[in-house]
């Protein structure tokens, strides 16, 4: 069984500020760094650092070849990361004094992946393999359909929420990993219990992991539901917390751990990640 992450690769431009910029305001940044990022890349790094082999598929421009070099150092297979004529996707990230962040995202090469490329990648995978998806590339609906036809197990992190998300074949998703905001967007509910019931009603075939930040996380499907408390730490930067959780959860399942064990591993890893500045750089090793 193999893990394929068909996901984004970004260059992160990180600015430390006292408070987030508001409309019409100019704010001085206390620090600037350029880092590797993208939800896809972060999740592949987390899977690899959690001790599982992962193949990453995606695209970068000529300005983003260093992203491939970074991921290769963690043993991620980047043979399916193609070079595009479009500039590499990037994010402008503000991090405030509390460690919270807000992000402006430019899709770039992540939005220029063709169906031919997707077919080439998927030809190397088969029934029972895992495929991990986020919503930062243009090819997600096509990959969902083709991976489902192959009998692959599809893990989907529906982030960022976009207007076309409801047109995806979400009934083909095996496991959703999402936060409260994404759960509300998919159900129209804003209370945790109602989000849970709404998701089970809309997608009865699926498993769900609902992450709740400092309130922990909840796993549920049609017949089972349990929660895991968050570990209390001093947050420095929450940028890759969700991606760390996702990667560690999937890696644990791939390595034969139970859902309960996978949730606990993911919770511990996410807690450690928020104590370190940066995105991929903050993801801990097992």
């Amino acid at each position: 069984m193999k893990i394929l992450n068909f996901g984004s690769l970004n260059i992160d431009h990180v600015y430390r500020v006292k408070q987030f910029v508001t409309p019409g305001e100019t704010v001085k940044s206390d620090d600037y760094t350029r880092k590797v990022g993208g939800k896809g890349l972060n999740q592949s790094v987390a899977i690899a650092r959690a001790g599982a082999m992962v193949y990453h598929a995606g695209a970068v421009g000529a300005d983003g070849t260093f992203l491939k070099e970074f991921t290769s150092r963690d043993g991620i297979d980047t043979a399916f990361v193609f070079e595009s004529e479009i500039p590499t996707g990037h994010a402008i990230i503000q991090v405030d004094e509390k460690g919270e962040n807000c992000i402006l995202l430019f899709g770039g090469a992540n939005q220029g992946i063709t169906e031919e490329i997707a077919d080439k990648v998927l030809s190397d995978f088969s029934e029972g393999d895992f495929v991990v998806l986020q919503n930062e590339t243009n090819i997600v609906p096509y990959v969902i359909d083709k991976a489902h036809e192959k009998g692959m197990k599809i893990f989907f992190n529906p982030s960022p929420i976009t207007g076309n998300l409801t047109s995806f074949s979400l009934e083909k998703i095996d496991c959703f990993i999402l936060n409260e905001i994404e759960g509300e967007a998919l159900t129209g509910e804003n209370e945790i219990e109602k989000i849970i019931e709404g998701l089970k009603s809309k997608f009865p075939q699926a498993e769900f992991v609902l992450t709740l930040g400092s309130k922990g996380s909840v796993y549920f499907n049609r017949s089972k539901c349990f929660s895991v408390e968050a570990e209390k730490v001093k947050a420095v930067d929450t940028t890759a917390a969700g991606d760390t959780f996702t990667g560690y959860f999937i890696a644990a399942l791939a390595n034969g751990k139970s859902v309960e064990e996978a949730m606990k591993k993911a919770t511990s890893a996410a807690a450690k990640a928020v104590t370190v500045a940066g995105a991929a750089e903050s993801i801990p090793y097992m």
Side-chain angles (χ1 to χ4, degrees):
M1 183 263 291
K2 297 191 288 188
I3 305 173
L4 167 66
N5 185 357
F6 214 125
S8 56
L9 302 100
N10 286 338
I11 302 169
D12 283 352
H13 302 281
V14 184
Y15 300 85
R16 289 206 162 267
V17 295
K18 287 185 170 56
Q19 59 189 32
F20 298 144
V21 178
T22 58
E25 183 182 26
T26 300
V27 170
K28 178 186 175 183
S29 172
D30 297 323
D31 185 55
Y32 163 77
T33 51
R34 187 188 76 162
K35 297 180 178 292
V36 302
K39 293 191 72 63
L41 182 149
N42 293 342
Q43 290 175 16
S44 282
V45 169
I47 291 168
R49 293 184 183 179
M53 176 62 198
V54 59
Y55 299 80
H56 193 97
V60 295
D63 57 335
T65 54
F66 74 97
L67 299 176
K68 290 179 66 174
E69 295 166 5
F70 178 92
T71 52
S72 294
R73 290 200 293 270
D74 278 309
I76 297 166
D77 191 311
T78 59
F80 299 123
V81 177
F82 300 91
E83 189 166 324
S84 171
E85 294 180 359
I86 306 170
T88 303
H90 66 257
I92 296 173
I93 303 173
Q94 297 177 60
V95 181
D96 70 9
E97 292 179 322
K98 299 176 183 177
E100 296 295 330
N101 67 77
C102 65
I103 301 172
L104 174 64
L105 185 66
F106 169 68
N110 298 311
Q111 296 297 316
I113 303 170
T114 65
E115 292 181 359
E116 290 75 19
I117 286 176
D119 287 337
K120 182 177 181 180
V121 172
L122 289 169
S123 67
D124 273 31
F125 297 85
S126 57
E127 183 177 358
D129 290 342
F130 288 5
V131 60
V132 185
L133 300 167
Q134 318 80 34
N135 197 25
E136 288 186 348
T137 68
N138 65 306
I139 203 68
V140 172
Y142 187 80
V143 174
I144 289 174
D145 291 339
K146 293 300 179 180
H148 181 73
E149 287 177 14
K150 281 179 165 283
M152 299 176 72
K153 182 167 184 176
I154 305 170
F155 293 82
F156 184 42
N157 173 209
S159 177
I161 294 292
T162 54
N164 66 338
L165 190 62
T166 54
S167 68
F168 296 4
S169 301
L170 297 181
E171 72 279 0
K172 297 176 181 177
I173 303 300
D174 295 289
C175 182
F176 290 85
I177 304 175
L178 68 173
N179 63 25
E180 282 180 89
I181 295 171
E182 292 144 13
E184 181 178 352
L186 290 178
T187 63
E189 304 289 349
N190 57 18
E191 297 177 17
I192 293 172
E193 290 302 322
K194 289 183 177 180
I195 289 173
I196 290 173
E197 291 307 313
L199 288 170
K200 287 196 293 185
S201 176
K202 289 188 73 170
F203 311 109
Q205 82 292 346
E207 303 172 83
F208 301 89
V209 178
L210 182 64
T211 58
L212 306 170
S214 61
K215 293 177 286 187
S217 57
V218 183
Y219 169 89
F220 56 96
N221 56 27
R222 278 180 295 183
S223 59
K224 184 177 184 178
C225 182
F226 69 90
S227 60
V228 175
E229 290 186 4
E231 296 184 6
K232 298 188 186 304
V233 295
K234 181 175 175 56
V236 173
D237 184 352
T238 62
T239 305
D243 297 332
T244 300
F245 186 103
T246 296
Y248 262 77
F249 177 77
I250 292 168
L253 294 181
N255 285 330
K257 303 297 183 183
S258 68
V259 170
E260 289 85 350
E261 290 175 297
M263 290 283 284
K264 290 175 182 177
K265 289 277 187 189
T267 297
S268 293
K272 183 165 281 289
V274 302
T275 65
V276 180
E281 297 89 346
S282 72
I283 298 170
Y285 290 87
M286 180 68 81

